[in-house]
Amino acid sequence: MTINAQEQTHYRACHLCDATCGLEIRRRGDEILSIKGDKQDPFSRGYYCPKALALQDIHNDPDRLRQPVKREGDNWIPISWDEALDLTVDRIFDIREKQGPNSIAIYLGNPCVHNYGMFTHSGHFLSLLKTKSRFSATSLDQLPHHLVSYLMYGHQLLIPISDIDHTDYFLVIGANPLASNGSIMTVPNVRKRLKALQNRGGKLVVIDPRFTETAKVADEHHFIRPGTDAAFLLALLQTLFEENLVDTAHLTPLLNGLDDVRSAVRPFTSERAEPLTGIPAETVKQLARDLAAAGRGVCYGRMGVSVHMYGTLCLWAVQMINIVTGNLDRPGGALFTKPAFDTIGGPVSRPGHFGAWSSRVSNLPEFSGELPAVAMSEEMLTEGDGQIKALFTGAANPVLTSTNGPLLEKALGGLEFMVSLDPFINETTRFADVILPPTSTLEHDHYDMAFLAMAVQNVVRFNQPVFPKPDGALHDWEIFTELGKRMAKKLGVQPLPDSTPDQMIDFGLQTGPYSDQAGHPEKLSLDRLKQNPHGIDLGPLQPSLPDRIYSDSKQINCAPDIIIVDLERVENHLRQTTSDESGLLMIGRRHLFDANSWLHNCKRLVKGKNRCLLFMHPDDMTDLGLTDGQTVKITSRVGSVEVGVKATDEVMKGVVSLPHGWGHNRPGVRLSIASQHAGVSMNDLTDEKAFDPVSGIASLNAIPVTVAAV
Ligand SMILES: Nc1nc2c(c(=O)[nH]1)N[C@H]1C(S)=C(S)[C@@H](COP(=O)(O)OP(=O)(O)OC[C@H]3O[C@@H](n4cnc5c(=O)[nH]c(N)nc54)[C@H](O)[C@@H]3O)O[C@H]1N2
Ligand SMILES: Nc1nc2c(c(=O)[nH]1)N[C@H]1C(S)=C(S)[C@@H](COP(=O)(O)OP(=O)(O)OC[C@H]3O[C@@H](n4cnc5c(=O)[nH]c(N)nc54)[C@H](O)[C@@H]3O)O[C@H]1N2
Ligand code: SF4
Ligand SMILES: [Mo]
């Protein structure tokens, strides 16, 4: 297709993180002239971060594949789409025929969630495989959020969102929105919103083992020993009960099992938690009193309490704290969103299922059709019926982003066939036999299916492509469609009728809560969104209970059995002597310029000081005879890496911090800039045997390590 040579201005939401900032992108021909924030965007109002400029670099990156390739030895041979798609389906079909459906594994990574065509169009092909060997980044991220919502509210996507713009007390535990730009809380310009909270007399409190960017702007910060948050959150909840600070207000008729919770948490006092967490009992009590007195307050927990040995328990406790303070479903508390395309209330609603089957080797439970990522390597390496022999990856780099990367590398090396839907030859896709590269993001349209449903304000936008699709290229969704057609033919089943992602969005909008059909004055449709390229504000979050609850009883299940049973684990932890708690614990770290493993090939985001450093408290360094800047060897149960160390009292004593997503020095990686700024992979140290036994979520923090001079 020819490109219009005229100068054009496009408005488009950035897809690089969860904040979905509206951008103004000016281009002439195939050249991008500028990228900046869209001041007319009703949600982000001109805010954007430096990462947005990477959109241009990704689009122009010479390392980005424009044509499918197949591997022959160490060489990559460009091939036609027909050859690539046929080869993929032939090989998967043959392996599946011989070794059964579960021998084919699927792994979908984080950027799938930012690419709506992968949502709407992956299902057909993937479901034809009928494999139980399905994995994704969910079990390295937000799985406990989904599981808790499923258990308590009856739907995996009914996750209450912190009403940051109206709250007066924001208790943040294990999240660093100033670096991450927010998560399970779509919130462009979080810094400004936190400032506004403080300006209206509200308070920001951060609980984190590191004095993070967010902690630095907070009114209070308390260090917590990594991995002990369950004891902290239970103590907070216990105090609320103990001191009669419970006021369930409007929620009272909806609560099922509140008394069971009250008695179950009784033993978990703040005095008992103190030696484990390092937070004084009196501080916990004061936090409980402050939250209860705030009126409009919210407790928000993210990665630091989700990818955690007690991930499910922690996120349940967060819900309970919001419930007993009457802050669930109340403005300024935590509310359910009402997105224009409603994946909860709509016809495609999937409430979820849990434990319907389990993994072959370690018996870990499925959640909504997926097994925990920590089980993937052993499912490839352990011989027997159902062993994984082939792998399909989509937008994923688990060698750098899932636990024990080297073990996964060994497993990938032993597969009979691997295919990757990805624009780059990275640490994971280099193991593929075939790589299927989609169009660049700017060459397709965009609708934030996932993130608009978690936004702190109801808002909607649809963006047209910035550049036309190059001749012969395929979008991600078209690749899925082509694979689906071919596989359906082989299996002798009907392919799906042709449709496009935007048609599905249009249908969802026209049957959704803001449609003409629903009698809403906005009368949303795709056409209407096309006429409003900056997006449409749909108003603040509103109470929606009991209508929104999905459980049959229309009640909130406060005391799910598996949670109450799991309290025993915390009890045992509290009873342990502290002698084994004396070693170093490693936590992760996000930096504004990163996006997991995949933006290190943009020069402007990696230039300057090396960011892949181990942060360590000066006292710990003195104890170990280490000096600032020297190279150290970090060793965990599964491996070791060598990296520079930086002395900083930003991390609490006994804690070290290393970012993830680095380690680009592996052979065969074709990321020319990233390879020059390789760093080391934190996930060469994370342990596939360390996970929350309830959900199977990986424990990516609180990793026991030793550090020594090299
Ligand atoms: N130690 C540690 N490990 C972690 C974390 C942590 O905090 N600590 N965080 C975890 C979390 S929260 C997550 S979400 C995961 C993320 O980890 P992954 O799910 O592996 O995601 P990325 O590293 O972002 O990998 C992105 C890949 O997707 C490709 N890609 C980008 N856009 C597209 C697209 O539109 N189409 C296609 N087909 N491909 C695309 C890129 O080229 C790249 O290869 O990492 C997890 N790993
Ligand atoms: N710049 C940038 N932005 C991103 C990403 C990125 O890689 N880079 N990734 C995106 C993705 S996929 C996600 S899921 C989100 C994540 O968004 P966030 O959850 O906000 O991001 P993190 O920086 O992982 O925050 C986790 C915090 O938990 C703390 N922590 C670690 N261990 C513990 C613990 O045991 N207890 C407690 N209380 N705290 C602990 C860490 O010090 C850290 O401050 O960010 C998204 N945005
Ligand atoms: S904050 Fe996130 S969405 Fe906004 S411009 Fe930066 S990377 Fe893009
Ligand atoms: Mo994530």
Side-chain angles (χ1 to χ4, degrees):
M1 208 192 235
T2 49
I3 299 189
N4 186 339
Q6 301 268 306
E7 191 176 315
Q8 290 190 348
T9 302
H10 290 260
Y11 300 99
R12 185 180 181 92
C14 173
H15 71 287
L16 293 177
C17 86
D18 310 16
T20 76
C21 304
L23 302 177
E24 179 192 288
I25 303 180
R26 277 175 52 247
R27 72 147 169 100
R28 190 187 307 118
D30 57 7
E31 190 194 352
I32 293 176
L33 301 174
S34 69
I35 298 179
K36 52 187 183 187
D38 175 7
K39 294 205 170 80
Q40 295 176 73
D41 186 289
F43 191 27
S44 57
R45 301 181 187 279
Y47 173 80
Y48 68 120
C49 88
K51 271 208 298 287
L53 304 179
L55 292 175
Q56 175 175 9
D57 305 343
I58 301 163
H59 183 73
N60 294 331
D61 192 335
D63 291 332
R64 183 167 66 81
L65 298 173
R66 269 86 170 162
Q67 187 184 345
V69 289
K70 78 173 171 193
R71 189 157 48 84
E72 282 183 3
D74 288 339
N75 296 320
W76 291 99
I77 318 291
I79 54 174
S80 71
W81 273 110
D82 273 333
E83 185 181 347
L85 296 164
D86 287 343
L87 179 66
T88 298
V89 171
D90 286 349
R91 294 288 284 127
I92 290 179
F93 181 82
D94 286 348
I95 295 169
R96 192 177 174 278
E97 285 291 288
K98 288 198 197 89
Q99 310 191 68
N102 295 343
S103 68
I104 313 296
I106 300 163
Y107 188 94
L108 298 181
N110 170 273
C112 293
V113 192
H114 296 265
N115 180 330
Y116 86 106
M118 292 178 94
F119 263 114
T120 57
H121 280 66
S122 58
H124 179 56
F125 170 65
L126 299 178
S127 65
L128 285 175
L129 302 177
K130 290 202 165 43
T131 173
K132 289 181 175 160
S133 306
R134 284 192 71 152
F135 306 87
S136 81
T138 291
S139 47
L140 302 166
D141 184 347
Q142 81 287 10
L143 170 60
H145 293 259
H146 293 307
L147 178 55
V148 164
S149 287
Y150 169 75
L151 295 170
M152 296 181 75
Y153 310 121
H155 199 297
Q156 59 182 334
L157 300 179
L158 266 178
I159 302 177
I161 302 303
S162 300
D163 191 9
I164 184 172
D165 291 339
H166 304 102
T167 196
D168 292 326
Y169 191 91
F170 195 28
L171 176 59
V172 174
I173 175 158
N176 185 13
L178 248 47
S180 69
N181 277 303
S183 181
I184 315 257
M185 172 175 75
T186 301
V187 58
N189 205 351
V190 68
R191 183 186 292 274
K192 192 172 168 193
R193 291 171 202 260
L194 292 174
K195 194 80 218 149
L197 156 80
Q198 290 166 323
N199 287 344
R200 63 177 175 264
K203 213 167 171 188
L204 169 66
V205 180
V206 172
I207 313 288
D208 202 295
R210 183 164 81 87
F211 186 53
T212 60
E213 292 80 352
T214 309
K216 282 172 192 159
V217 302
D219 300 277
E220 268 180 50
H221 165 247
H222 303 283
F223 281 127
I224 185 167
R225 190 170 171 76
T228 66
D229 303 82
F232 166 78
L233 289 163
L234 289 172
L236 191 63
L237 189 55
Q238 194 271 354
T239 307
L240 290 166
F241 282 118
E242 173 86 17
E243 299 196 1
N244 288 321
L245 300 169
V246 170
D247 179 4
T248 53
H250 59 293
L251 299 169
T252 310
L254 303 177
L255 302 180
N256 186 8
L258 186 63
D259 286 336
D260 298 335
V261 176
R262 183 194 301 268
S263 53
V265 304
R266 194 163 288 136
F268 297 97
T269 61
S270 46
E271 285 78 11
R272 290 183 72 208
E274 178 174 331
L276 197 61
T277 61
I279 302 183
E282 195 44 44
T283 303
V284 178
K285 288 181 184 169
Q286 194 56 47
L287 290 170
R289 292 170 200 145
D290 291 350
L291 176 61
R296 304 188 302 178
V298 60
C299 177
Y300 164 74
R302 233 349 238 131
M303 282 294 278
V305 286
S306 179
V307 288
H308 197 286
M309 293 294 276
Y310 298 98
T312 314
L313 194 52
C314 285
L315 285 155
W316 166 81
V318 166
Q319 295 305 317
M320 282 315 303
I321 288 166
N322 288 332
I323 287 172
V324 302
T325 51
N327 280 309
L328 178 75
D329 202 42
R330 169 158 89 187
L335 298 119
F336 300 114
T337 62
K338 188 167 141 190
F341 185 101
D342 187 7
T343 43
I344 295 167
V348 291
S349 187
R350 293 196 308 151
H353 47 83
F354 176 56
W357 61 86
S358 15
S359 68
R360 181 179 63 106
V361 180
S362 287
N363 205 26
L364 300 182
E366 65 82 34
F367 181 74
S368 289
E370 287 184 5
L371 293 169
V374 290
M376 190 158 74
S377 296
E378 66 182 15
E379 291 294 331
M380 292 175 180
L381 291 166
T382 311
E383 282 176 24
D385 216 21
Q387 181 184 2
I388 294 170
K389 296 289 186 180
L391 173 67
F392 176 99
T393 70
N397 192 5
V399 164
L400 294 193
T401 57
S402 98
T403 47
N404 199 347
L407 185 71
L408 180 60
E409 287 176 305
K410 184 176 162 208
L412 297 181
L415 292 174
E416 288 179 24
F417 181 71
M418 175 170 159
V419 53
S420 292
L421 177 58
D422 202 290
F424 290 102
I425 302 177
N426 65 22
E427 297 71 18
T428 301
T429 61
R430 74 198 157 107
F431 287 96
D433 297 281
V434 181
I435 302 180
L436 310 171
T439 49
S440 143
T441 309
L442 300 181
E443 290 161 353
H444 60 75
D445 57 15
H446 184 62
Y447 183 91
D448 267 304
M449 258 171 95
F451 298 103
L452 291 178
M454 293 187 282
V456 299
Q457 170 187 334
N458 292 308
V459 64
V460 62
R461 344 171 165 90
F462 176 82
N463 309 119
Q464 313 263 22
V466 175
F467 295 109
K469 186 170 85 161
D471 288 332
L474 294 177
H475 299 309
D476 282 286
W477 67 269
E478 291 176 309
I479 298 170
F480 275 118
T481 303
E482 289 302 321
L483 292 170
K485 280 185 184 159
R486 282 166 170 80
M487 190 55 84
K489 193 166 165 201
K490 288 228 173 227
L491 293 168
V493 299
Q494 281 293 319
L496 281 187
D498 282 336
S499 67
T500 56
D502 62 343
Q503 287 170 340
M504 291 162 116
I505 293 300
D506 194 25
F507 176 78
L509 294 172
Q510 296 209 39
T511 52
Y514 305 89
S515 60
D516 195 15
Q517 187 179 310
H520 198 278
E522 286 290 353
K523 298 189 190 344
L524 287 190
S525 66
L526 196 65
D527 270 347
R528 212 161 118 54
L529 294 191
K530 284 180 181 171
Q531 288 153 19
N532 291 272
H534 306 287
I536 298 176
D537 179 11
L538 300 170
L541 303 184
Q542 302 282 356
S544 62
L545 295 186
D547 294 356
R548 201 67 168 151
I549 295 195
Y550 222 81
S551 60
D552 294 337
S553 62
K554 286 275 174 205
Q555 283 213 307
I556 296 169
N557 183 10
C558 295
D561 289 344
I562 55 167
I563 305 274
I564 300 300
V565 168
D566 199 37
L567 291 172
E568 186 64 24
R569 227 164 22 106
V570 188
E571 183 57 46
N572 291 336
H573 200 167
L574 286 167
R575 279 191 197 146
Q576 272 168 21
T577 56
T578 49
S579 58
D580 65 333
E581 313 274 347
S582 56
L584 290 171
L585 295 176
M586 183 179 65
I587 61 169
R589 189 168 80 241
R590 280 179 159 79
H591 185 280
L592 184 61
F593 285 10
D594 299 317
N596 298 308
S597 77
W598 81 285
L599 291 187
H600 298 148
N601 216 39
C602 304
K603 198 175 249 149
R604 66 178 112 205
L605 295 182
V606 289
K607 68 174 189 221
K609 280 192 203 149
N610 174 17
R611 298 198 291 274
C612 189
L613 295 173
L614 185 74
F615 284 8
M616 193 174 201
H617 194 279
D619 292 355
D620 289 330
M621 289 180 61
T622 307
D623 288 350
L624 294 169
L626 302 174
T627 50
D628 189 37
Q630 85 176 95
T631 301
V632 294
K633 182 171 178 173
I634 318 170
T635 305
S636 73
R637 184 192 76 84
V638 310
S640 58
V641 300
E642 291 184 9
V643 70
V645 65
K646 179 180 148 131
T648 170
D649 57 8
E650 206 176 81
V651 286
M652 69 189 289
K653 269 173 75 169
V655 174
V656 290
S657 166
L658 188 69
H660 75 286
W662 299 88
H664 305 293
N665 51 352
R666 279 129 149 116
V669 171
R670 302 232 179 145
L671 299 167
S672 41
I673 296 168
S675 301
Q676 293 164 30
H677 302 264
V680 297
S681 176
M682 177 187 182
N683 287 316
D684 288 359
L685 300 169
T686 54
D687 190 341
E688 82 287 0
K689 302 269 187 241
F691 52 82
D692 166 28
V694 180
S695 61
I697 186 83
S699 178
L700 299 175
N701 291 306
I703 318 293
V705 291
T706 56
V707 177
V710 177

